[in-house]
Amino acid sequence: MKLLLRIKYDGSSYCGFQYQPDDPTVQGVLTEKVSEAFGFDCTITGCSRTDSGVHALGYVAAVEPQDISRRDENWCSIPVEKVHRAVNMRLPCDIAVTGAALVPDSFHPRYDTVAKEYRYVISDGVCPDPFMRDRAYRIRRRLSDAQIALMNDLAGHLVGKHDFSAFMASGSGVTDTVRTLYILEAKRADDSTVCITAKGDGFLYNMVRILTGTLLDAAYGKIKPEEGALILESRDRKKAGPTAPACGLYLAKVEFAKEIDFKAI
Amino acid sequence: MKLLLRIKYDGSSYCGFQYQPDDPTVQGVLTEKVSEAFGFDCTITGCSRTDSGVHALGYVAAVEPQDISRRDENWCSIPVEKVHRAVNMRLPCDIAVTGAALVPDSFHPRYDTVAKEYRYVISDGVCPDPFMRDRAYRIRRRLSDAQIALMNDLAGHLVGKHDFSAFMASGSGVTDTVRTLYILEAKRADDSTVCITAKGDGFLYNMVRILTGTLLDAAYGKIKPEEGALILESRDRKKAGPTAPACGLYLAKVEFAKEIDFKAI
């Protein structure tokens, strides 16, 4: 039996999710605090790497006792619907468990993911918003409705099953670069905020940030929407737009074949 | 001529608005950065003290050259609608100017205030929200509709013109403790947030935070709504509820006899 945690975090102070020996990471903090809550060392497996400064609204991680001999049906000594309390009271205020669930040992939060949804937040008000610092990409000129329409025109050429090599940063070592993008859409959320939603069966390294930079290039007239297909075909990172900053990116939701019923009371 | 600035700030890192020689304050930072923008020393006069950790959405401050001989009709060398840019490029990311206006020398942002509106944000979701840390008062039990109704029942006994001594922290030296509360209302904003709006012609030291603590006491059944009048009459701070934490408080809006047309393009 594995314990799944649904986690929300402000990534501003972390060097991403994945453990690093010398830098603060979400996995590092979680491992320590979850182990404290259970009273024995636990192993945390994440659903995704997130970059330094990237946030999460619905990250999913699996917990298991580090000691294999402890891994029986009853190792989770805390009632699952109360796990969030035991862990949150120990976590720093920028990370919170929002629900927990028990799943079979065979479940893997990364390999069993069927879809991920990201949100990219752009702050385009006349004045910067102090409450959105480190939580949105601040651009100085307000995006017009026509510019947002150009972004969505280009997005229409990118959704579907494609080789997204042109939208992948180097260094990940991934060889299968075909992904299916179900949703890619820019929408004005309020007078000073535009949100991009990207949902797909998986994402390459920095893919959402490069997609965002490319949509913005379309808004600025640097790329024509109909060039989307050419950029994909080129498989050339240089043909796509710049990588938008990490601070605007949120891992919003992770979906599995069977919906997980996370509990918190 | 004075230059008015409308300011938004996240007060988490500041010991309040008012200048203190050894601690970071909003006035201290503003004085330095506005002076830098104009190229000569400026004096900043605020509309209100705010406590350490309190936030502002629409604070108003007046700017004048420190050197009286500079105070002519043309001292503001930056076009008023562009002042926000010159100042914001110098300000730290937790303070922003959201508009500017020119007013006669006789105008005073504190004495000419006819009404102030505060917002108090309570976070009552099952799980803490990492994005609301330092920006809301976190309580562990969700407020029911019935509890919010009790808060509003008590609020109904407190609105109007009263001696609010019972809702004033000691130490301010204020002797006229009569104020008119136009609005005091608790409302669920979303599934994990309750907002209290307090609007009045003026507020005593810690008054909104004590009002909030007292409304919460009504929610918890510690005070009956109809005791509101008795608490006011007692003029006894001990009869009112506790002082709610600073982090939930926002100075939302300041109103003057004549509406100010703040500009930012």
Side-chain angles (χ1 to χ4, degrees):
Chain A
M1 203 169 54
K2 284 181 184 175
L3 174 67
L4 282 196
L5 302 178
R6 190 179 55 196
I7 302 154
K8 195 169 180 177
Y9 57 83
D10 176 342
S12 311
S13 307
Y14 299 96
C15 294
F17 182 84
Q18 183 151 309
Y19 180 75
Q20 292 180 38
D22 301 320
D23 292 304
T25 61
V26 178
Q27 190 176 27
V29 171
L30 269 181
T31 304
E32 185 189 328
K33 301 305 179 186
V34 169
S35 297
E36 255 181 56
F38 281 101
F40 48 80
D41 286 346
C42 292
T43 302
I44 307 275
T45 311
C47 64
S48 171
R49 294 185 180 201
T50 60
D51 278 342
S52 188
V54 169
H55 316 291
L57 305 175
Y59 194 96
V60 175
V63 181
E64 281 176 299
Q66 200 177 79
D67 180 349
I68 291 172
S69 69
R70 283 190 182 271
R71 295 185 188 176
D72 57 26
E73 283 306 294
N74 304 309
W75 73 262
C76 182
S77 50
I78 306 169
V80 68
E81 67 278 7
K82 291 186 178 166
V83 163
H84 71 105
R85 296 195 198 183
V87 181
N88 287 337
M89 63 182 286
R90 292 173 167 86
L91 282 174
C93 292
D94 49 7
I95 307 177
V97 172
T98 65
L102 291 168
V103 291
D105 278 321
S106 59
F107 187 92
H108 193 288
R110 181 143 43 106
Y111 306 133
D112 287 345
T113 294
V114 295
K116 273 185 199 161
E117 189 174 315
Y118 283 92
R119 188 176 305 166
Y120 194 95
V121 181
I122 297 168
S123 171
D124 71 344
V126 175
C127 303
D129 184 346
F131 296 97
M132 291 301 281
R133 67 184 200 281
D134 300 330
R135 297 181 184 183
Y137 172 32
R138 163 96 186 127
I139 60 172
R140 285 173 189 281
R141 289 215 179 158
R142 194 169 188 279
L143 292 167
S144 67
D145 290 349
Q147 285 179 304
I148 295 172
L150 284 170
M151 294 167 79
N152 284 320
D153 273 1
L154 171 59
H157 291 273
L158 301 177
V159 291
K161 188 173 181 178
H162 303 289
D163 181 334
F164 281 97
S165 309
F167 296 89
M168 177 177 72
S170 58
S172 72
V174 167
T175 50
D176 176 12
T177 51
V178 174
R179 296 291 183 275
T180 303
L181 201 51
Y182 304 126
I183 299 173
L184 182 64
E185 193 181 14
K187 217 171 178 176
R188 177 159 295 286
D190 63 43
D191 195 47
S192 57
T193 317
V194 171
C195 286
I196 294 171
T197 301
K199 182 175 175 175
D201 63 351
F203 290 87
L204 303 170
Y205 187 44
N206 278 356
M207 181 167 152
V208 182
R209 293 166 57 188
I210 299 170
L211 285 168
T212 298
T214 311
L215 294 191
L216 282 169
D217 267 2
Y220 300 145
K222 293 183 191 169
I223 288 177
K224 288 198 186 94
E226 53 274 23
E227 288 175 60
L230 292 173
I231 299 171
L232 286 167
E233 279 164 31
S234 76
R235 299 178 192 185
D236 178 0
R237 170 69 190 88
K238 291 193 280 297
K239 301 284 185 204
T243 307
C247 61
L249 187 61
Y250 294 73
L251 174 53
K253 209 177 164 185
V254 185
E255 291 179 16
F256 304 98
K258 202 186 142 198
E259 200 181 339
I260 310 261
D261 182 20
F262 288 98
K263 290 189 193 304
I265 59 165
Chain B
M1 204 167 59
K2 285 181 183 172
L3 174 68
L4 283 195
L5 302 178
R6 192 179 53 197
I7 302 154
K8 195 170 181 176
Y9 58 82
D10 176 341
S12 310
S13 308
Y14 299 96
C15 295
F17 182 84
Q18 183 152 307
Y19 180 76
Q20 293 180 38
D22 301 320
D23 292 306
T25 61
V26 178
Q27 190 177 27
V29 170
L30 269 180
T31 304
E32 185 189 327
K33 301 306 179 186
V34 169
S35 298
E36 255 181 54
F38 282 101
F40 48 80
D41 286 346
C42 291
T43 302
I44 307 276
T45 312
C47 64
S48 170
R49 295 184 179 201
T50 60
D51 278 343
S52 188
V54 169
H55 316 292
L57 305 174
Y59 194 97
V60 175
V63 181
E64 281 176 298
Q66 200 177 80
D67 180 348
I68 291 174
S69 69
R70 283 191 182 272
R71 295 186 187 175
D72 58 24
E73 283 307 293
N74 304 309
W75 73 262
C76 182
S77 51
I78 305 168
V80 68
E81 67 278 7
K82 291 186 178 166
V83 163
H84 72 104
R85 295 197 199 179
V87 181
N88 286 339
M89 63 182 284
R90 293 173 167 88
L91 283 175
C93 292
D94 50 7
I95 307 178
V97 172
T98 65
L102 291 167
V103 292
D105 278 322
S106 59
F107 187 93
H108 193 288
R110 180 142 44 107
Y111 306 134
D112 288 344
T113 295
V114 295
K116 272 184 200 161
E117 190 175 315
Y118 283 92
R119 189 175 305 164
Y120 195 94
V121 181
I122 297 167
S123 171
D124 71 343
V126 174
C127 303
D129 183 346
F131 295 98
M132 291 301 280
R133 70 185 198 280
D134 300 329
R135 297 182 183 181
Y137 172 32
R138 163 97 187 126
I139 61 173
R140 282 169 191 283
R141 288 214 180 159
R142 194 169 187 278
L143 291 167
S144 67
D145 291 348
Q147 285 179 305
I148 294 171
L150 285 171
M151 295 168 79
N152 284 320
D153 274 1
L154 171 59
H157 291 274
L158 301 178
V159 291
K161 188 174 181 177
H162 303 289
D163 181 336
F164 281 97
S165 309
F167 296 90
M168 178 177 72
S170 57
S172 72
V174 167
T175 50
D176 176 11
T177 50
V178 174
R179 295 290 183 277
T180 303
L181 202 52
Y182 304 125
I183 299 171
L184 183 64
E185 194 181 14
K187 216 171 178 174
R188 176 159 296 287
D190 63 43
D191 195 47
S192 58
T193 317
V194 171
C195 285
I196 294 171
T197 301
K199 182 175 175 175
D201 62 353
F203 289 89
L204 302 170
Y205 186 45
N206 277 356
M207 183 167 150
V208 182
R209 292 165 57 188
I210 299 170
L211 285 167
T212 298
T214 311
L215 294 191
L216 283 170
D217 267 3
Y220 299 145
K222 294 183 192 171
I223 289 177
K224 289 196 185 95
E226 52 274 24
E227 289 175 60
L230 293 172
I231 299 171
L232 285 168
E233 279 164 30
S234 76
R235 299 179 193 183
D236 179 1
R237 170 70 189 88
K238 291 193 281 296
K239 301 284 185 203
T243 307
C247 61
L249 187 62
Y250 294 73
L251 174 53
K253 207 176 166 187
V254 185
E255 290 179 17
F256 304 99
K258 203 186 140 198
E259 202 182 335
I260 311 263
D261 182 21
F262 289 98
K263 290 189 193 305
I265 60 167

